[in-house]
Amino acid sequence: MKLERFREIALDFCGLDDENPVLVGVSGGPDSLCLIDALARCDFKVVVAHFDHRLRAESGEDARMVQAYAAQRGLPFVLGSGAVAQYAAEAHASLEEAARFLRYQFLFEQARQLRAQAVAVGHTGDDQVETVLMHFLRGAGLAGLKGMAFRDFLADWSAEIPVVRPLLAFWREDTVQYCRENGLSPVMDASNQNTVFFRNRMRHDVIPMLETLNPQFRQNIWRMTQVLAGDEAVVQAAVEAVWQRSFEQQGEDALALRVGELKNQPVGLQRAMLRRAAACLDPGLRDVDYAAVERGVQLLRSAADGQADLVHGLRLVIEGDRLWVTRKAELPLEDTWLQMIGPDCDFFVPGEFPLAARWKVSARWVEKENIPHSLRETSASDEAWLDADCFLRTLQIRRARPGDRFQPLGMKDHSMKVSDIWVNQKLPRRARKDWPLLACDDAILWIPGFRPAHAYRITSETRRALHLRVFREDDFS
Amino acid sequence: MKLERFREIALDFCGLDDENPVLVGVSGGPDSLCLIDALARCDFKVVVAHFDHRLRAESGEDARMVQAYAAQRGLPFVLGSGAVAQYAAEAHASLEEAARFLRYQFLFEQARQLRAQAVAVGHTGDDQVETVLMHFLRGAGLAGLKGMAFRDFLADWSAEIPVVRPLLAFWREDTVQYCRENGLSPVMDASNQNTVFFRNRMRHDVIPMLETLNPQFRQNIWRMTQVLAGDEAVVQAAVEAVWQRSFEQQGEDALALRVGELKNQPVGLQRAMLRRAAACLDPGLRDVDYAAVERGVQLLRSAADGQADLVHGLRLVIEGDRLWVTRKAELPLEDTWLQMIGPDCDFFVPGEFPLAARWKVSARWVEKENIPHSLRETSASDEAWLDADCFLRTLQIRRARPGDRFQPLGMKDHSMKVSDIWVNQKLPRRARKDWPLLACDDAILWIPGFRPAHAYRITSETRRALHLRVFREDDFS
């Protein structure tokens, strides 16, 4: 292992500087001992951090060895320890997961306290190949096949302090040789041989076997990871661009994307968008099932109203141009919708009537001389001017009923079913049930948000007007 | 194997119709026999094609068996055969490569003659997994890891007739079971057991071993191929977009891309652009060496003039804003450059003097009354107007010499080295050697393509002008 190349990698690929402290996780094995020693020799400001997992009787000796090494080299040393077995039992996690969790918790806490520029760990090219092979066996996508990076932010731990892996460009045997050449005596962690069963089968059985088929296997996989990491960045950039264009809204239980932006995208991007949407609602989600994503893609490509189950209780719903990802049976009501919250009832003029989401309907009489000369055009949907002489004093505000008909302003000869108006206006079905109508006896005067009734329009004969309006309580218009 | 699902896949994923003939390659093994039988039962218009590789004594029997099957089902049958061993020896290819080459040659020739919509082959999900595993072992990128497609155009064979693989969604054991259930008696190709050594090690040793580690291994890899094919399409779309923006020119031995468009792209796209550029110049090229691509990326990111070897005698050269990929030691001369083709010599006025690429320099005297009132601005680079009284009758046209100095029009107080003018104008080094200068004794009058000399500018005193011009023979301006 050439120290010069190591230093280049630490600077250029890991992005380390030699002014700020680097916290180095040191188990005492050849990888991490080589790492701390090489970083120190290259004049990086290292702090030695050891976490005692207390899983083996001799773990205290490892800690003392690492501490002695730090003392001998005059390097600052921090020691942590945790009740791994107890944590594993409490969190229903494997010993390995629990150990990793407590170790990283310790490392990042220390790094924050020390204002370290990074946490450095001793993963080698062999760890990379083992990791990628394990991902391959479970059919991982690009994110898994690209393996670990020289410099990376672990979302679970810190958005500011990266984890860096300067040894990723070297093999495990390089670190063993480095220790030998530099008089370092690593501890041989017995757990390497036993606890991490699956990884060890890779290391001791599968990779040597694959190397008999292709002696360049490890080198090939290592290069593959570099190429795929580049490809993944390209895909991620494309995903980000489409996400920006198609994202519409997100609440706690649901988010909405624009179907129009998504339906003609390549299937690779559609899959990525579904996975990302799921991860937005369920940040702990690691993998979205292949079949679930394919169901979602099929729904999306149909671009027709419909539903599909996604994963972990998340559902996909297409409603018009919206693709909802939601964990509730009911989609959220839009706060731009007018929705009655109480029962149907009388509505006195002048007066106000409250709706959901801080909306209100108001009504007042306006004498002829105060009617604006140029009424807003017929499409203005937040108010209606009607000829008051046509009405009794009491109006009703109520929901639509089967058979309700309505003749909108400008439609001279015939009336329409209210239900057809909903469809024409593309009002989502679940918004229709509680949408308010203003009525007088059997006649519908106005559907707030749409046009007023033709029969009650203002004419030159009008002597007094009924002015109806919807507004939000925080609107001062 | 459900015939209904098979038919869906043939229609939707393979894009087959049931009106035009499909040429089906049938070895007689369970895969291809299942394929032809299922296609025929689903009412596709199939033609049975068998290619006798004559590598085994019993190969004639396979042919007769396939022919008998076709006759019994009333299906059209075509038979081909080739001297595989001889071809392999002549082409220095392996028996497997030679067999594949001659077989596909036969299939596509027949497909063209029959105006077939596609060539169907019997690859199963197992073939897919074996292929991808082999690609994985050699560290292939996305293009290799995505495996085979349901529908694909093989660049070597046809841009119009696709190869389709309806069995890709089924396992080999499904086809064996299909044959059993439908009374078909496939031949067991002995070569499966022997000749294709590497693939057979996958099939019989490696995959069963990996399945002990993950029983879902084959299923996982199959799904992985589908996901990665989607990702690859996203990458390819991004590559295509950047290619369009950065492509500048291509000749037989060299092509040029714009450095400015490439240098800030993500490394994944830079790699892809280099691979694509190499493939443009060398269409037979399958793989570009990892290290070669990394050298190229490094050169590109430097964005400074320099060179790097790529692969197969191709070189990368950055020259100003151009990234050249070239197979020649010399880059092509630009035909927009002015280049002397003969020796330095005298130049008589009036007269013309030929340069490379159909360029010419012309000179003439112009009397005062014919000098245009508003001379084109000083930056006009294809002509120069000079005060003729300053000259003898004979000019020289010659190359630059060490120490040559020049005072361009508008620069009043001092002169510049000609070599500095080249640098300022970013004229590529290799264009400078043969660039013509117009001189009179020791004074440089004009560097064609740049400004004329300040000392000889037209003034109100001028009585006669020397008008110099460069033009292309096919310019009629």
Side-chain angles (χ1 to χ4, degrees):
Chain A
M1 198 176 113
K2 283 201 182 128
L3 216 51
E4 203 178 325
R5 173 137 183 269
F6 173 86
R7 185 176 155 80
E8 257 176 46
I9 285 167
L11 291 170
D12 298 346
F13 291 82
C14 301
L16 293 182
D17 63 55
D18 50 14
E19 293 182 4
N20 295 293
V22 184
L23 190 82
V24 189
V26 182
S27 69
D31 302 349
S32 60
L33 212 54
C34 162
L35 173 63
I36 185 76
D37 198 76
L39 282 170
R41 271 175 211 265
C42 292
D43 292 328
F44 290 99
K45 295 213 167 25
V46 292
V47 177
V48 182
H50 179 81
F51 188 78
D52 184 351
H53 298 97
R54 291 196 200 146
L55 284 170
R56 295 168 295 118
E58 69 275 22
S59 72
E61 288 170 35
D62 296 355
R64 277 185 295 280
M65 188 286 280
V66 174
Q67 186 165 19
Y69 164 81
Q72 177 212 328
R73 293 291 309 255
L75 303 173
F77 173 80
V78 290
L79 176 67
S81 71
V84 172
Q86 187 189 338
Y87 180 82
E90 284 169 16
H92 304 288
S94 70
L95 278 185
E96 190 198 353
E97 286 162 358
R100 184 178 189 280
F101 179 87
L102 293 174
R103 186 171 68 246
Y104 274 76
Q105 191 177 51
F106 164 69
L107 290 175
F108 277 92
E109 255 173 37
Q110 291 295 321
R112 262 184 292 272
Q113 281 180 28
L114 292 162
R115 299 179 186 278
Q117 58 174 316
V119 170
V121 293
H123 293 126
T124 62
D126 288 280
D127 294 304
Q128 178 82 315
V129 173
E130 290 155 19
T131 300
V132 167
L133 183 57
M134 289 191 290
H135 288 163
F136 180 75
L137 290 179
R138 64 175 178 76
L142 270 182
L145 294 175
K146 75 172 182 184
M148 298 176 279
F150 286 105
R151 181 186 175 91
D152 209 1
F153 288 92
L154 303 181
D156 291 344
W157 295 110
S158 175
E160 285 89 37
I161 303 175
V163 61
V164 298
R165 304 180 177 97
L167 291 181
L168 214 51
F170 301 92
W171 300 109
R172 190 171 292 130
E173 59 247 38
D174 296 328
T175 68
V176 171
Q177 196 189 342
Y178 179 97
C179 289
R180 203 164 44 229
E181 288 173 0
N182 290 278
L184 301 169
S185 310
V187 295
M188 287 299 169
D189 184 351
S191 72
N192 263 351
Q193 311 299 323
N194 301 316
T195 56
V196 196
F197 167 74
F198 200 67
R199 182 177 284 273
N200 278 316
R201 281 225 45 193
M202 298 298 122
R203 189 175 299 175
H204 299 302
D205 301 342
V206 184
I207 291 173
M209 190 269 219
L210 296 177
E211 283 185 304
T212 65
L213 290 163
N214 188 330
Q216 297 295 312
F217 174 71
R218 287 189 301 161
Q219 181 74 359
N220 290 349
I221 296 303
W222 195 91
R223 290 176 164 190
M224 183 188 87
T225 61
Q226 301 303 299
V227 172
L228 294 183
D231 289 336
E232 206 229 358
V234 173
V235 173
Q236 284 311 317
V239 168
E240 179 61 30
V242 177
W243 182 266
Q244 291 301 335
R245 281 208 302 283
S246 62
F247 180 84
E248 202 173 52
Q249 54 172 278
Q250 176 172 7
E252 204 172 311
D253 294 317
L255 69 75
L257 303 172
R258 286 185 199 92
V259 171
E261 292 285 352
L262 291 180
K263 68 178 175 195
N264 295 321
Q265 294 291 345
V267 68
L269 283 179
Q270 293 175 329
R271 290 189 186 120
M273 297 297 285
L274 293 174
R275 278 188 240 112
R276 178 159 172 179
C280 275
L281 288 173
D282 189 349
L285 202 61
R286 290 283 175 238
D287 261 330
V288 183
D289 181 44
Y290 173 86
V293 173
E294 294 313 295
R295 280 194 300 274
V297 166
Q298 211 151 16
L299 176 67
L300 192 50
R301 294 188 97 78
S302 78
D305 282 19
Q307 308 208 3
D309 283 327
L310 192 56
V311 68
H312 276 210
L314 294 176
R315 271 186 328 131
L316 291 172
V317 183
I318 289 189
E319 182 183 77
D321 186 45
R322 290 226 175 96
L323 173 72
W324 287 98
V325 186
T326 171
R327 71 172 97 250
K328 293 255 167 122
E330 289 282 307
L331 290 178
L333 292 173
E334 311 267 319
D335 60 4
T336 57
W337 288 349
L338 304 174
Q339 296 285 293
M340 293 188 67
I341 37 186
D344 296 358
C345 61
D346 285 348
F347 181 39
F348 299 97
V349 185
E352 283 187 354
F353 190 86
L355 302 172
R358 299 192 318 280
W359 286 95
K360 282 189 174 175
V361 188
S362 74
R364 60 180 182 131
W365 307 116
V366 177
E367 296 305 321
K368 180 175 183 132
E369 60 272 23
N370 293 325
I371 300 176
H373 286 294
S374 63
L375 289 179
R376 284 208 266 155
E377 38 182 53
T378 56
S379 63
S381 59
D382 61 346
E383 62 174 353
W385 292 85
L386 301 169
D387 190 315
D389 290 340
C390 309
F391 313 117
L392 299 176
R393 184 162 284 264
T394 308
L395 309 180
Q396 290 90 43
I397 185 161
R398 64 164 175 86
R399 294 164 176 81
R401 293 166 191 162
D404 267 348
R405 297 187 74 88
F406 179 63
Q407 186 180 7
L409 181 59
M411 185 175 281
K412 294 197 175 90
D413 301 325
H414 62 282
S415 64
M416 297 174 70
K417 282 194 204 159
V418 169
S419 57
D420 289 340
I421 294 180
W422 297 149
V423 172
N424 289 351
Q425 300 285 338
K426 297 191 175 139
L427 187 70
R429 195 171 291 273
R430 65 206 163 79
R432 300 173 192 172
K433 191 166 53 78
D434 288 320
W435 200 275
L437 310 179
L438 274 294
C440 184
D441 297 332
D442 284 340
I444 296 172
L445 307 178
W446 185 39
I447 306 177
F450 304 103
R451 283 184 280 172
H454 188 77
Y456 309 105
R457 68 193 181 282
I458 303 285
T459 68
S460 54
E461 318 285 291
T462 302
R463 293 178 303 172
R464 199 160 72 127
L466 172 64
H467 181 213
L468 297 167
R469 198 162 76 88
V470 287
F471 61 97
R472 257 182 125 163
E473 237 167 341
D474 49 2
D475 285 351
F476 296 100
S477 57
Chain B
M1 196 176 113
K2 283 198 181 134
L3 217 50
E4 202 177 327
R5 174 137 183 270
F6 173 86
R7 185 178 154 80
E8 256 176 46
I9 285 168
L11 292 171
D12 298 346
F13 290 82
C14 301
L16 293 182
D17 63 56
D18 51 13
E19 292 182 4
N20 295 293
V22 184
L23 189 81
V24 189
V26 182
S27 68
D31 302 350
S32 59
L33 212 55
C34 162
L35 174 63
I36 185 75
D37 198 77
L39 282 170
R41 271 177 211 264
C42 291
D43 292 328
F44 290 99
K45 296 215 166 25
V46 291
V47 177
V48 181
H50 179 81
F51 187 78
D52 184 352
H53 297 97
R54 292 197 199 145
L55 284 172
R56 295 169 295 118
E58 69 276 23
S59 72
E61 287 170 37
D62 296 357
R64 278 186 294 280
M65 187 287 277
V66 175
Q67 185 165 22
Y69 165 81
Q72 178 212 326
R73 293 292 309 255
L75 302 174
F77 174 78
V78 290
L79 176 65
S81 72
V84 172
Q86 188 189 338
Y87 179 81
E90 283 169 16
H92 303 288
S94 70
L95 277 183
E96 190 197 355
E97 286 162 357
R100 184 178 190 279
F101 179 88
L102 292 174
R103 186 170 70 245
Y104 274 75
Q105 191 177 51
F106 164 71
L107 292 174
F108 277 92
E109 254 172 38
Q110 292 294 320
R112 263 185 292 271
Q113 281 181 28
L114 292 163
R115 299 178 184 279
Q117 59 174 316
V119 170
V121 293
H123 293 126
T124 63
D126 289 281
D127 294 305
Q128 178 82 316
V129 173
E130 290 155 18
T131 299
V132 167
L133 183 57
M134 289 191 290
H135 288 165
F136 179 74
L137 290 179
R138 65 176 177 77
L142 269 181
L145 294 175
K146 76 173 182 184
M148 297 176 281
F150 285 107
R151 180 186 177 90
D152 208 0
F153 288 92
L154 302 182
D156 291 344
W157 295 110
S158 175
E160 285 88 37
I161 304 174
V163 62
V164 298
R165 305 180 177 95
L167 292 180
L168 215 50
F170 301 93
W171 300 110
R172 189 171 291 130
E173 59 247 38
D174 296 328
T175 70
V176 171
Q177 196 189 343
Y178 180 96
C179 288
R180 203 165 43 231
E181 288 173 1
N182 290 278
L184 301 169
S185 309
V187 295
M188 286 300 168
D189 183 352
S191 72
N192 264 352
Q193 312 298 325
N194 301 315
T195 57
V196 196
F197 167 75
F198 200 68
R199 181 176 287 273
N200 278 316
R201 281 224 46 192
M202 299 298 121
R203 188 175 300 175
H204 299 301
D205 302 342
V206 185
I207 292 173
M209 188 270 218
L210 297 176
E211 283 185 304
T212 65
L213 289 163
N214 188 329
Q216 297 295 312
F217 173 71
R218 286 188 303 161
Q219 181 75 358
N220 290 349
I221 295 302
W222 195 91
R223 290 174 166 189
M224 182 188 87
T225 63
Q226 302 303 299
V227 172
L228 293 185
D231 289 336
E232 206 229 357
V234 174
V235 173
Q236 284 311 317
V239 168
E240 180 61 30
V242 176
W243 181 266
Q244 291 301 336
R245 280 207 304 281
S246 61
F247 180 83
E248 203 174 53
Q249 54 172 279
Q250 176 172 6
E252 205 172 307
D253 293 316
L255 68 76
L257 304 172
R258 287 186 198 88
V259 172
E261 291 286 353
L262 292 179
K263 68 179 176 195
N264 296 323
Q265 294 291 345
V267 68
L269 283 179
Q270 293 175 328
R271 289 188 187 120
M273 297 297 284
L274 293 175
R275 278 188 240 112
R276 178 158 173 181
C280 275
L281 288 173
D282 190 348
L285 202 61
R286 290 285 174 236
D287 261 331
V288 183
D289 181 43
Y290 174 84
V293 173
E294 294 313 296
R295 279 194 302 274
V297 166
Q298 211 151 16
L299 177 67
L300 192 50
R301 294 187 97 79
S302 79
D305 282 18
Q307 309 207 1
D309 284 327
L310 192 57
V311 68
H312 276 211
L314 294 176
R315 272 185 327 131
L316 292 172
V317 183
I318 289 189
E319 183 183 77
D321 186 46
R322 291 225 175 97
L323 174 72
W324 287 98
V325 186
T326 172
R327 71 170 99 250
K328 293 255 168 124
E330 290 283 306
L331 291 177
L333 292 173
E334 311 268 319
D335 61 4
T336 56
W337 288 349
L338 304 175
Q339 296 283 292
M340 292 187 67
I341 38 185
D344 295 0
C345 61
D346 285 348
F347 182 38
F348 299 96
V349 186
E352 282 186 357
F353 190 87
L355 301 173
R358 299 194 315 281
W359 285 96
K360 283 188 176 177
V361 187
S362 73
R364 61 178 180 131
W365 305 117
V366 177
E367 296 304 319
K368 182 174 182 132
E369 60 271 22
N370 294 324
I371 300 175
H373 286 296
S374 63
L375 289 179
R376 283 208 264 155
E377 39 183 52
T378 56
S379 63
S381 58
D382 61 347
E383 63 175 351
W385 292 84
L386 301 169
D387 189 316
D389 289 340
C390 307
F391 311 118
L392 300 175
R393 184 163 283 265
T394 308
L395 310 179
Q396 289 90 44
I397 185 161
R398 64 164 175 87
R399 294 163 176 83
R401 294 167 190 161
D404 267 347
R405 297 187 74 89
F406 179 65
Q407 187 181 4
L409 181 61
M411 185 175 282
K412 290 196 180 91
D413 300 325
H414 63 282
S415 64
M416 297 174 71
K417 280 194 207 160
V418 169
S419 56
D420 288 342
I421 294 180
W422 299 148
V423 173
N424 289 352
Q425 298 285 339
K426 296 188 177 143
L427 186 69
R429 195 172 292 274
R430 65 205 163 80
R432 300 173 193 172
K433 191 166 53 78
D434 289 320
W435 200 275
L437 311 180
L438 273 294
C440 186
D441 298 333
D442 285 339
I444 296 172
L445 307 178
W446 184 38
I447 304 177
F450 303 102
R451 283 184 280 170
H454 189 76
Y456 310 104
R457 69 194 180 280
I458 303 284
T459 68
S460 55
E461 318 286 293
T462 300
R463 293 177 303 170
R464 200 161 72 126
L466 173 65
H467 180 214
L468 297 167
R469 198 163 76 88
V470 286
F471 62 97
R472 256 183 126 162
E473 239 167 340
D474 50 2
D475 285 352
F476 297 100
S477 58

